[in-house]
Amino acid sequence: MNFESLYKKVERTLGGMKFAVIVILIFTAFMIAGTFLESYYGTEFAARTVYKKFPFMFVQFLMMLSIIFATLIRLPFKKRLKGFYVIHTGLV
C-alpha cells in the first residue's frame, strides 16, 4: 500500500460522517459529566477533573481533525458548499 492510498483511506475515515458522530457523542458525554460535576462541586473542580484532562483534550483534537478532513474531502471549492465551508471553518 503506497502513501497516497493510505492518506486517502485516513482522509475518508477521519472526514466521514460515522467518525464525526462518534466523536460528537463522546464529546457530549464528557460535557454532560463536566456539567454535573461543575454544578455540584464548582467550576474549578470540573476543570481539574474533566476539562483540563488529556482525554477531553484528545476528543477536542479529534473533532478538529474530523472537521478539517471533512473540508479537505470537499475541495476544490464549490459555490454550492459555501455555507459548509464557512460553518466548518468557524468551528475550527
Side-chain angles (χ1 to χ4, degrees):
M1 185 184 292
N2 62 16
F3 178 75
E4 187 174 333
S5 65
L6 177 63
Y7 174 78
K8 287 290 182 189
K9 188 173 183 175
V10 168
E11 182 182 53
R12 293 279 175 207
T13 301
L14 294 179
M17 184 66 74
K18 288 180 185 179
F19 183 77
V21 168
I22 291 169
V23 171
I24 290 168
L25 289 174
I26 295 169
F27 180 77
T28 302
F30 274 114
M31 291 301 292
I32 289 169
T35 301
F36 279 110
L37 288 173
E38 189 171 359
S39 67
Y40 287 114
Y41 301 108
T43 304
E44 189 59 38
F45 181 79
R48 277 195 326 263
T49 57
V50 178
Y51 301 132
K52 292 183 180 180
K53 291 294 187 176
F54 176 77
F56 184 72
M57 299 287 193
F58 185 67
V59 170
Q60 286 182 317
F61 175 72
L62 290 178
M63 284 180 66
M64 182 189 69
L65 280 182
S66 177
I67 292 167
I68 289 170
F69 278 108
T71 304
L72 290 176
I73 288 171
R74 287 156 182 86
L75 289 178
F77 184 80
K78 297 173 189 87
K79 191 173 184 175
R80 65 182 174 85
L81 292 175
K82 190 166 99 174
F84 172 87
Y85 298 130
V86 169
I87 290 170
H88 284 74
T89 302
L91 290 172
V92 170

